[in-house]
Amino acid sequence: GKTTLVTAFEHLFESEGLNCVSMSLDDFYLTRGEQVALAESNASNRLLQVRGNAGTHDVPLAVDLINQVKTRGSSQVKVPSYDKTAFEGKGDRHKEDKWRTYDAKKVDVVLYEGWMQGFTAVDPEGERASGLSREMSEINAILGHNGYSDMWRLMDVWLVIQVKQLDCIFKWRLQAETAMKAAYGQDKGMSDEEVKAFVESYIPAYETYLPDLYTPALHQ
């Protein structure tokens, strides 16, 4: 998966004498309190009841950090960390004392991975948007107006892992959740039923945005 590939790149860059910082879109999920508030204010949208979709990330925090590294404008940058074991698998951002610290002036490469990197809102007036559910229309509006496109524009190179079928996503998430509970305790993750519901909240976005992401001509 993407995390395994990032780890391989870290070793590769290190062997070339380059300083590498890796981070994930997951690192920028809202805090548990912020996620609860988002869910409550969008109670009719099941796609915003759990972390994952556009709207559940602190995009300004991510953009600020990336800019600090790219411009080397700060001698020290702190990369947040997200604890997926917190609140029985619902997750929460770690306190700052568990964030990773880097000297921005010494960073050569930043690897930034995530499940929805590069997702771009479809034209709300276009034909494709007319087929979106109300819930996905709200996600599409957030994706188009909450700074995600500005964040994508900060990337210099893209590497997209293309999957043939979406049914593998549930298997991967279930494997990860099982491993996490084995390592940290059965109360530190979601049940199989909760994992299924969790993954199902991602599928509409995959179906909406992957076609464009997988079309090279749109990214030249």
Side-chain angles (χ1 to χ4, degrees):
K2 60 186 184 301
T3 303
T4 302
L5 187 59
V6 165
T7 301
F9 273 123
E10 287 177 330
H11 292 308
L12 176 62
F13 288 127
E14 183 180 0
S15 71
E16 296 291 331
L18 298 173
N19 293 314
C20 179
V21 171
S22 62
M23 58 189 190
S24 170
L25 185 63
D26 293 2
D27 294 328
F28 300 98
Y29 278 135
L30 300 176
T31 65
R32 180 60 189 158
E34 291 169 337
Q35 176 60 49
V36 169
L38 176 71
E40 291 177 346
S41 63
N42 295 273
S44 64
N45 192 329
R46 65 183 177 86
L47 304 180
L48 291 173
Q49 299 309 299
V50 295
R51 67 179 190 266
N53 279 293
T56 66
H57 309 93
D58 190 334
V59 176
L61 176 62
V63 168
D64 180 63
L65 191 153
I66 296 168
N67 276 322
Q68 285 185 54
V69 176
K70 285 176 70 76
T71 63
R72 298 177 182 247
S74 173
S75 60
Q76 185 181 87
V77 292
K78 299 187 72 173
V79 178
S81 177
Y82 195 81
D83 181 8
K84 293 181 180 179
T85 70
F87 295 96
E88 299 181 333
K90 295 180 177 66
D92 195 8
R93 189 183 300 162
H94 276 299
K95 301 297 184 184
E96 282 198 36
D97 60 358
K98 291 191 176 181
W99 294 15
R100 291 165 291 147
T101 302
Y102 298 92
D103 184 345
K105 299 184 184 301
K106 296 181 179 179
V107 174
D108 299 304
V109 180
V110 177
L111 300 173
Y112 187 27
E113 57 93 354
W115 78 276
M116 56 167 284
Q117 307 293 61
F119 282 10
T120 304
V122 300
D123 181 356
E125 303 299 326
E127 181 178 349
R128 287 177 59 193
S130 65
L132 298 180
S133 67
R134 175 190 57 79
E135 294 172 324
M136 263 311 300
S137 293
E138 292 175 0
I139 296 297
N140 193 62
I142 293 171
L143 185 62
H145 296 96
N146 282 37
Y148 286 90
S149 294
D150 293 333
M151 182 162 57
W152 306 153
R153 280 192 286 270
L154 293 174
M155 304 299 105
D156 298 306
V157 177
W158 288 87
L159 178 60
V160 177
I161 303 174
Q162 184 168 351
V163 296
K164 293 182 179 180
Q165 295 181 328
L166 294 179
D167 58 3
C168 62
I169 297 171
F170 171 71
K171 297 177 183 177
W172 290 343
R173 184 64 251 167
L174 187 60
Q175 288 174 351
E177 205 72 19
T178 300
M180 188 169 67
K181 289 192 290 186
Y184 300 105
Q186 293 301 306
D187 62 336
K188 298 299 183 180
M190 293 180 279
S191 67
D192 291 2
E193 293 75 17
E194 288 173 326
V195 171
K196 184 175 185 296
F198 181 76
V199 171
E200 285 176 346
S201 71
Y202 286 58
I203 299 302
Y206 276 123
E207 293 175 337
T208 302
Y209 303 118
L210 284 184
D212 283 354
L213 192 66
Y214 289 167
T215 305
L218 296 176
H219 311 291
Q220 295 176 350

